[in-house]
Structure formats: structure tokens, C-alpha cells
Amino acid sequence: MFYAVTARKADSVSLTAKGSFTGPDDLNLIVSKCTHLEIFVVVDDTSNEPESANSKVLRLVLDVPTYGRVAAMLLYRPEDRETDLLFVLTESYKYFVVSYKPETNQLVNEYTGDVGDRTGRPSDTGIIGLLDPQCRMIGLHMYQGLFKIVPLAPGNKRAGSGKKQKPGDILSPFNVRLEELNVISMAFLHAQHPKPILAVLAQDTKENRYLETYVVDQNVKDLQTWTLKQNQVEPGASMLIPVPLATGGGVIVVGEQTITYISETDIQTVPITPTVMKCYNQLDEEGMRYLLGDYLGNLYVLVLFAEDGKVTELRLQKLGEVSQPSAIEYLDNGHVYIGSHFGDSQFIALSTEQDAQGNYVEVKQEFPNLAPISDFCVVDPEGQGQGQIVACCGANKDSSLRVIRNGIGIEEHGELEDVRELKGLWSLKPTLGAEIHDTLVMSFIDETRIYSMDDGVLSPLEDTGGFRIDESTVCCANVLGDQFVQVTTSSVVLISREGRMTVSEWNPPQGSRIIQAFVNPAEVVLSFGSGWIVHLTVEGNNVKETNRKQLEHEIACVDASPLDSSLSANVRSPFCIVGLWNDMSVRILALPTFEETDKQLLSGETLPRSALLTRIEGVDYAMVGLGDGQLFTFNFDPTLGVLSDRKKISLGSQPIMLRTFQSGGTTNVFAASDRPTVIYTSNGKLVYSNVNLKEVSYMCPFTYSATPALAIVTEDVLKIGSVESIQKLHVKKIPLTDTPRRIAYQEKTRTFGVLVCRVWMNDEGEEEECGWFKCLDAISFDVLDEYQLDPSEGVQSLITVNFADAPQPFYVVGTCYVRPTEDQPSEGRILVLMVNQDRQLELVSETTASGSVYCLGEVDGKIVAGVNGKVQMYTWSRTPASDRIRGSLTPTVSHYGFMVALTISVRGEFILVGDMIKSVTLLRYNPADDSLELVARDNDPTWVTAADMIDDDLYIMCENGYNLKAVRRRSESEVEDERRRMVQVGAWHLGEYVNKFRHGSLVMTLPDIEQPAQPALLYCTVNGAIGAIATLDEEKYNILTKMQQNMRKVARGVGGLTHTDYRRFVTERRSEPDDLFIDGDLIETFLDMSKDQQAQIIEGVDVNGFPLGIEEAGRLVEDLARVH
């Protein structure tokens, strides 16, 4: 029983569309990323940068999942609409049309249907979707020899029932026969003809490409021949571009060596530097200019020159380099969106002037894209006890390694050593309303040190004025009147800005010491022992006591933060929160009367060490950090002073100190402890992200320049750094010049081994490819050394191995020789390399293999390899015997019977082999007699793309139909035939092509937290998604199954598509309901639903079988969300 959830959505961009979708005056960009849609609006750049004038940025409006892989996406505008409708077709041939409802920020379903046929061979070139320029029909090419027409109602006719049709209504789709079987590209043309004109670029059986044009006759449901001046095109032609009538109509045929314009009467051709154009977009309404992007990431503009309605000349000019484009969308005012599958997508601005590199392109925004992820490893190189992914991403010039971790990064600007025994840290601004901080106040056991920031240099303040530096500080802050308040153990002093002189002072009773204090811009709340709490106010140049009260227990912590921190609001706080000793309680007290409005007893015997009142994105919270690393959170009613919705989470094992800071214009909370954490909100719920520091004792905001920054004390060092973007998963990019294919981590040498492919042009202008092995430092990712493979030798597999008696680990590389005359490689190599003391690579051994070494594994200090259709064992032998490092691999036992052994996963003595055709097979290696024994196999033919073992008997795989399948061997059976035959125990449609499974987790597992699901595997996909699979016990599975069933009824998918149909396990041979998988993406949307929807889900389940209420169910889902 499994819980499958997406940790990071797919990033790869396949399709884009431009229009006015969210409002009549809005300019929208809609981006398809495989199984979800992102809807942006183009807005003015409101930043204060000088170059932001007349500049635009993209703002995300909506990100919605689609219950299907998007194959075609079109925007169209019916006559009676002020906004566009969005037509989406999925790869399962289901379509929907949606509009946008601004009042609810949701998509509204207009039409849903199915255009699939019972018979028909799917097109080899994929699904093509087209919109007639006059909005009369949508054309779909899905099957060979067929063209599907989806008529759109003109609005001036009545349906068969007599009901008047609305413009844009979807009418009954129908097929027309298409002579061309191998279609390369299609386009509806702009033509002076009463019926739509279809242009088809096709390839015949002799691989010649040609152009055909047809009139689409809806009345007779047929295609009629229509003639352009020429139909022969170059062999590399790959794309058709329709030209508007204002420029003469016709079509542009884009090839690898020429671009040709063809109309009824004219032909114009321009030769180009050989390349492969991947996408285009029209720049102007007249169709005079077009943007083109090629497979190398070059961006071009194609200009058509016309006279008297006839095109007379074509010109192509390179504008610059962008990410390798899969989609181009010109938006407005010279701004263009570049969607990419192989690199980061970009929002660029076109310039009329060249930059220093000769480009006319300026990147305004970048959207991280991990696709395609070919391999990854899960490591903890800094020993923080939390795994992070290092993934091979992208291709060619957009190649990179990406470090993905669950948490938030701190980019260090500088540090100050020797702050041992620090007891407190505060920052000051020159004035209360200033944007930057210029002073740090540090408290020690018997002194206070004050540092100032001047021109980026932090140095001791020479003239401290009225600050008391000969005793410990309890709290310090800016207050009204551009003054400062310092609370020490013996006094509260009000200090002027000018000269920093003491202008007022308050002292506790003789013999008392101030032990806790909090200062806001207008008030001081403090305690001087024996349960006494005092309220002071700042009035002009005086600090005055307004009330004091003795509580029944000693005060452990106090906070009186105003929930509205803007200076235009009332800077006084109507309440304070205090934590008490003895009864371990937290209380809300009204100010200044100290009347108790609420009291919460905290479980356990640990003192509250820090308390906080704060407002995050409009929601008020109270938080209490305990001395054992536990955090309590409450919703806070600022009117009544009442706490509700109590929750507890363990962030570590040491005391927690809570402070707020600003990032991206929103308030966040920093919880300093042995597991420092940033707390923020997403979709109205609190989210906890770890910080990439081992331990933090104190933190305060310290924005000394335009960039927000923090001052952090960690391991007796004060570090100043800026917070990287607040998000659940943080991604760091390490650019590469070559395409990474495989990666392995070697803990002892603290290095990464990476197999890459390098492509270059030879002297004859042809592309050549060669493999390299690179060794990178595990912390800095600097390349330490590299090893070049032979010409025409491709990289296939990589592992790190500890051979018996060897003093250090080795990298083992599997390769193959790619020869044009061979359908399947007949030769490969297994290379053994080591990292020496100088951190350089040394080739220790090389062994020839009788085919491609697709995969490698380690069993009992030996190598197991998948070589074409067999599994081969290799033994390591030292040569000479006295050399503990030098040696060779000797092939020993092998096991045949595979088509192509693509994957190997090892667990103890068991070897799980994934095959291209024959699903998975389990082998056992017996070291006693050096043999491989067939243990069990899955007899259901499956093309396995990735497979791994959850335990000795349970295995999970992904197949090329984007499905996950779990199988189990019946080791407990007494019948040998049953023990040898695996049985399916789980089936589920993932919707993604998985390249790799790895054991590990992105979250930190704390021993005192009981998790509802146990993390088992992480996976990566071709489209850049990262997911997690966890195991569930029967009780949790039954609860979640019933919850999932009701959510399917309440939470309908976008466009009316059903979750049940989407998650069905469908292959070419069978279709069956999903089984034993819980969809974590669906379950976790429970937290984003309204209370009414949550009630429908819970109350719709049989009460006797569903023991949880709404709050309990919400807590369960929150715990599940922490699995990833």
C-alpha cells in the first residue's frame, strides 16, 4: 500500500498560448507543463530599477493540474465573448473547453468530450491541434490517415432540437480521410476562400517530403484538393507557418537549409545556415515578421518584404541566444516568452541595440526547469542529517547539475568570529522608519558589544553614548521619536538618536534584576522576577510605567509584537503573550491591564523559551517554542485575545528562539535551534522549511543594503547573509557545458562522478559525440579532473564500489561503442577509476564487454552488469597480488534470457533486473558457488523504464505508458511455481515517464515524530518532476482510501475530467482501475479546500468506517505533506 506524491511539479514546457483569458483588458500567457497549466498575466514592472520603465513582467495567476497529459492547447474567441476560451486536448483523446471566473479565481467548464476512435493507428509524430483563423473549426491530427474536425458553431443557426446555438459551441466532431500517412506538420491557411484551407507537410515512403493543400468541406465531410504554386520542398522541411492575407497569404515552409514562401502565385526562398528550427511565433498582426528558434538555442527573426500584396523577399537575422526553445510566444512591447524542455524557460525583452556580446536579447525573468532529469543521487555531503538530491538536468548548452533540497538557503555575505557565550542579538535602524539597519547589539554574560555597518564593513562602535555596555542586554529596539530603548538586567534606558544620550531611565525595585523583556515601537513589557510583569510606555522623551502585576508563576518568555507593524497603524499591541514556569502554560494578557484572556497548558515538563505574536499573509498566529525543540502554534483572535486550532510539531531537540523577518514583501518566522527552520504560509497553511545551517542560536533581521539580510549566530560565529527564495524545495544550479547522463557520489573522497556527453562539429560540418567522466568536488562542484572516452564511445552507467581489501572506493563506468552499421552495440567497456591523494583521476582497470553496459550494481564486493541481453558478474582481482589498489575485473557467471537488461537494483544478495520487454526478474547471487539463481519473474510483458526494491519481496517499476506497477514475490508459498511467479499488488497511472528510482528522503526524520507514511523511494522524470513514494499501514490506507473516494466526488478535475479515469492503469493490452495507491497530490488539496468542501468529504464517508473529524483529517494530511 503506497502513498505517491509530487515533491516538485514538472517544469518542461510543451505548449504556450496568448490571449485575453482572465479579463477583456488582460494579456495572458498560458503555459502547458505536461500535466498542469500555468496561467500568467503580463503586468508592468513596478521595481525601482532604472531599466524597469516600460518593462513588463509575468505574474502567475493560477496553476491548475489537468487529469491528463496535455497534447494540444488553443485559445479562441467566440463572437459573443469578451474573453477567450481555452481548448485543451489530452493524450488520451479527451478534450475540454474552459473559461475563467475572476470572482473565484477558478476555471469554469464549458464543454467536455472524447474525440478518440475505437480503431486507428496513432500518429508517429504525435498529436497536432489547429485552429481555423476565422474560428470555424478546430482540426486534430491524432491517427494516421485521419483528420478530426471539431466544428465551432457560428451562432446564427439552430441546433437539431430547435435550440439556438451560441457562437463557439462545440458541435459533433467527425473524421475526414487524409491521404498522407506520415504527417510532419499542418496549418490552416489565411485564404480568400469561403471554406477553411488546410496545408499538410508530409513524407512519402521514399523519405521525400512534400506539401499538399486541401479545402475542408464540412457539408460533405471531405477534403478537396487545392493548389499552391509548388508542392515539392527540401528533405529537411519540418514546419509550416501560415501567412496572413495582409502580406499575401500562403505558407512558409521552414527547412534545415532553406526557408521558402509559397502562395498560389509566388515562390520566394532564402538559404540559411544548416540548422533545425523547433518553433516559431508571429510578431505582428500583418505577418511581416516571425520569431524562429532552433535546436541550439539561437533566436532569429524572419522578415517578409511585400509589395502590392505579394512577398518579394525573405530575410533571416539572428537576434541572440536563449534557452533551447520548445515554444515561443511574443507578448507585448518587445517581450517574448521562451518555453524550454532542455533549459530554464525565459521571459526576454528584444532590443534594437546590440549588447557587448552582439545580442539583441535581454533576459528579464527565468523560470527554473529541471527537465529532462536523466539520473540523480541522494546525498548528505555536509552531514546535516537530511538528504538532498543532486540531479543530471538539461542537455547541450543548457546542461546543469541541480542540487534540490527541502529547505531554504542562506547566501553568506560575511562573518564575525569569536562570539562565544553570546546571549542575545538585536539590530537597530538609524530611524524607526528607515529601510536599512546600521547597528548590531550583542549581549554577553557581563557585557554588551555594539557594532556598526559602514560601507559594507562591520566594526565596533567607538562612541556608544548612553548605551550600557558594562552589563548584559535583555532587549534592544527602535522606538517612537527615532529613539532607542535598551533593556539591561538593571534598567530600561531611552536613548536619543542625536548623540545617543540617555534621556530617560526606569529601574526595577532595589535588589531585583530584569530577566525577560520585549520592546515594540511604543511599549516595553518586562519581568523582574517573582512573577512580576511591568508595562512601560514611550511618551516623547520619557519612558513611563503604566501598570505592574504579579502572576502566580515565574515568567519564562514574553512578546508584545503589534500585528500590524506599519508605522501608519497603531504601533501599540493590545495583547501580550507570556510563557510561565511551573505549570508550563502560555497566557494571553490584555495591555496595559494584564487581564488574562486565554490560557493554554503545554504538555510535557519543558519550559517555554520563546513566544511570538505575528501576522502572516493576513492570518494572526501565536507561537511558542519550548526548550526541547517542540513548537506550538495557535490561531490568534486579535479582538478577543483567544487562542484556537492548537498544533504541535517537533523542529529539533534544543531550545527554540522565534523571530520574524521580511522576505519577498511577506512576513516569515525564523525558528533558531539545532534544526533551524523558516516558517511561512502557502495556500493559507503553515509550512516549515529547514535552513542549510547546522545550528543557529540567535537571529535578527539585518538589512544593511538594498538586499534583505539576516544576522545569524551559528557555531560561535556571527554570519550575515541573505535568504534565498522562500519555497519548500530549494534548487541550486551548477551549469555544465556538456550533457550529464549519470551521477554517483563517493563519500570517502567527498566527490561526485559524472558521466557526460560532449557534442561538437567536425571539420566536415557534421556533429560528433564523445563521452567523458568528470570528477567534481562535493561541496564547491569544481571540476577536479576528467577522463575522455574513446571516439564513438557512449556513456551508459556509473556506480561507486568498495572492493574487498581495497583501501578506498572506486568509480566504475559502463560504456558502449556506437557504430552506424550495428542495430545493437556489440562492444563496450567497464572502466575502474580512482581518486588519488591529489584528487586526480587514475585509470585502474579496463575490461571489454560483449555489448552495451546498460547498468551496473555491486553485490558482495563484486560487479554485476547488464550487458545487452544478459546479466554478467565480474570479480575484482589485485594485480599484482601485493598491490591493494591495482587490479582487474574478470567475468565469471552470467544469466541469459533478457531482451535488453536496462536497469539493475541490488538489495543484499538479491538482484532485480528491469527489461525492455520482459518486465522485472529477480536473481540471487550465491557467493559460495559463485552462481546466479533465478528466484522469480513477472510474466506480464512490460517495457520497464525504472525499477527498484522496497524490500526483499516487494518491487516497484515504471513502464513506458507512464504507469507505476508494484509486484510481489510469494516467498511464503510452499509451491515452487508460485514462488517463482510474481503477482501484481498495485497499479496506478502516474502520467510521467520515470527515469530513475532512488532510496532516500528529502525530509529530516526525527525519532520522536510518528509519521503516517514511511518514505521509501524518490523518483525523477523526463519532464523534470520529482516525486516520493511512501508505504502505508493498513489502517492509514483504509482511511485515506475512503477519503480519496469522496474527494473524487467533491473535487472535480479541471474541464470535468475525472480523477478515477486519469489514474486508471492503461496499457495497449488492458485497462484496469488503480489499486493500492493513494494519490498524495489529490489528498493534500484537502488543506486548500473550504470548510464546506471539507465537511462534504468527511461527512460523505460512512461514519462507522471513518473515525476522523475535519480537524483530525486535516492534521493527518498535514503530517502526510511532511513526507516530502
Side-chain angles (χ1 to χ4, degrees), residues 24 351 557 644 836 849 879 881 889 907 943 1007 1084 1092:
S351 174
C557 55
S644 62
N836 62 23
T879 54
L889 289 175
R907 180 183 172 91
W943 183 328
E1084 292 176 17
D1092 291 341

Side-chain angles (χ1 to χ4, degrees), residues 404-434:
I404 304 111
R405 53 181 169 76
N406 193 327
I408 293 171
I410 303 294
E411 182 181 350
E412 294 185 18
H413 300 171
E415 63 180 40
L416 180 68
E417 298 183 352
D418 192 22
V419 291
R420 287 173 293 178
E421 300 182 350
L422 185 78
K423 300 300 179 183
L425 180 68
W426 301 268
S427 58
L428 299 177
K429 302 176 181 179
T431 62
L432 181 60

